[in-house]
Amino acid sequence: MRTKAAVAIEAGKPLEVMDVNLEGPKEGEVLVEIKATGICHTDEFTLSGADPEGLFPAILGHEGAGVVVEVGPGVKSLKPGDHVIPLYTAECRECEYCLNPKTNLCQKVRSTQGAGLMPDGTSRFSMLDGTPILHYMGCSTFSNYTVLPEISLAKVREDAPFDKICYIGCGVTTGIGAVIYTAKAEIGCRAIVFGLGGIGLNVIQGLRLAGADQIVGVDLNPGKVEMAKRFGMTDFVNPAEVEGDLVPYLVDLTKGGADYTFDATGNVNVMRTALEACHKGWGESIIIGVAPAGAEISTRPFQLVTGRSWRGTAFGGARGRTDVPKIVDWYMEGKIEIDPMITHTLALEDINKGFDLMHAGESIRAVVQY
Ligand code: NAD
Ligand code: AHE
Ligand code: ZN
Ligand code: ZN
């Protein structure tokens, strides 16, 4: 079939909206009509050329929601008409990783996914002249129709609006999950969130849900304050306005250091500050931000010797097929909020505007509706 898609032709260039060829689903695969897709910072990170796995030409996008159109041979858990959220972290429920409760990083399709291919080692997308186009993070939601492995789809309730729940495909789950599944934050904890963008705001609402006593937000952009307060931030710190070292300032503000800190910036200097602002003896720092190719983190080992822990999380530690439908329920039951964070809704033709808004710090989430 033919479908309209925004294609990343090469690093650093705007996406090009065009008709492309899409082959039908093969063994274990599913054809999905994407109804809405969010633009995540990681799409921009890959488009910029900073992602070591970045490949071109490719159809980016990994935060979406849609409807199953056709299932390939052997697919048992889904049928046409089912509402689904694509998962860049699959859940096969049988690999060594899925069977270990300590991780959500299913490896069943990870190597082919990282190469921009379906599990059989080929792509379903091509240009109209036959040039192959690669998949991205196993999802390629910047296409009106896409093909995914069955294990990379969470089946969700049918009354949930696509243009809101698409955000659960990455930002919402990553932020809330980092608090609930990775940190397992306790009632009454003190926390610091670095970066109040599409991920950091969801860390804040996760902390509120978990019953944190103090939620400090740190951002260079004061324009993020109002929204962060609405989601539960109790204190705001703009590093540009702090005289001297930020670490002792934050340690003092949190009465000895935070129980949990979260990096949602992707900046390795911020990651160091986040670790060192943790409480001596027990503080845990969770890295969410994705740093550019070649970047490294550093600190004095004594920071760890004296009881701080440095950790990381992908997709908030969530097991997609199991946890994403529950998070959709939380949204529909009013336990979490999404709507105020969807600051812009665009047509696919205007997708590059969504990237510009993110660059300018003007959007939290821009969503493309098909
Ligand atoms: P975003 O651009 O919406 O937000 C980033 C925020 O950080 C902005 O508000 C910006 O002003 C702030 N910031 C930048 N530099 C700062 C600094 N030095 N100090 C304080 N604040 C600073 O991005 P996002 O969508 O929220 O994504 C955040 C990071 O999380 C990105 O690196 C993204 O790739 C990553 N991410 C990781 C996962 C995962 O599973 N681990 C999932 C999604 C996104
Ligand atoms: N090259 C990666 C993209 C970069 C990355 O680190 N992705 C994060 C999720 S960021 C979502 O916005 C991730 O979860 N990685 C886990 C993994 O196994 O790579 C890619 O996925 O192509
Ligand atoms: Zn993302
Ligand atoms: Zn698995």
Side-chain angles (χ1 to χ4, degrees), residues 39-43 62-63 88 137 169-171 174 199 365:
I39 303 173
C40 173
H41 192 105
T42 308
D43 299 307
H62 61 282
E63 195 177 83
Y88 59 87
M137 292 176 77
C170 182
T174 298
I199 306 302
R365 255 314 173 264

Side-chain angles (χ1 to χ4, degrees), residues 90-99 105-108:
E91 185 187 351
C92 77
R93 297 178 171 158
E94 57 189 30
C95 76
E96 183 192 1
Y97 287 71
C98 282
L99 295 178
L105 296 177
C106 174
Q107 295 296 292
K108 187 73 170 255

Side-chain angles (χ1 to χ4, degrees), residues 71-101:
V71 300
V75 171
K76 292 197 178 77
S77 66
L78 292 166
K79 60 179 186 321
D82 284 344
H83 291 207
V84 287
I85 290 183
L87 303 169
Y88 59 87
T89 306
E91 185 187 351
C92 77
R93 297 178 171 158
E94 57 189 30
C95 76
E96 183 192 1
Y97 287 71
C98 282
L99 295 178
N100 188 331

Side-chain angles (χ1 to χ4, degrees), residues 114-200:
L117 303 168
M118 284 292 105
D120 73 346
T122 62
S123 172
R124 302 288 158 269
F125 289 109
S126 60
M127 306 257 188
L128 297 187
D129 69 2
T131 309
I133 308 176
L134 294 164
H135 297 251
Y136 174 66
M137 292 176 77
C139 295
S140 292
T141 54
F142 292 168
S143 177
N144 195 181
Y145 289 82
T146 187
V147 168
L148 305 96
E150 174 186 18
I151 59 167
S152 302
L153 287 164
K155 182 173 183 255
V156 300
R157 58 197 277 173
E158 292 177 14
D159 57 344
F162 297 114
D163 63 328
K164 304 297 185 301
I165 62 164
C166 60
Y167 195 9
I168 296 174
C170 182
V172 172
T173 303
T174 298
I176 293 178
V179 175
I180 288 173
Y181 304 125
T182 304
K184 300 185 175 71
E186 308 87 3
I187 293 175
C189 68
R190 295 176 191 274
I192 309 174
V193 182
F194 295 80
L196 304 176
I199 306 302

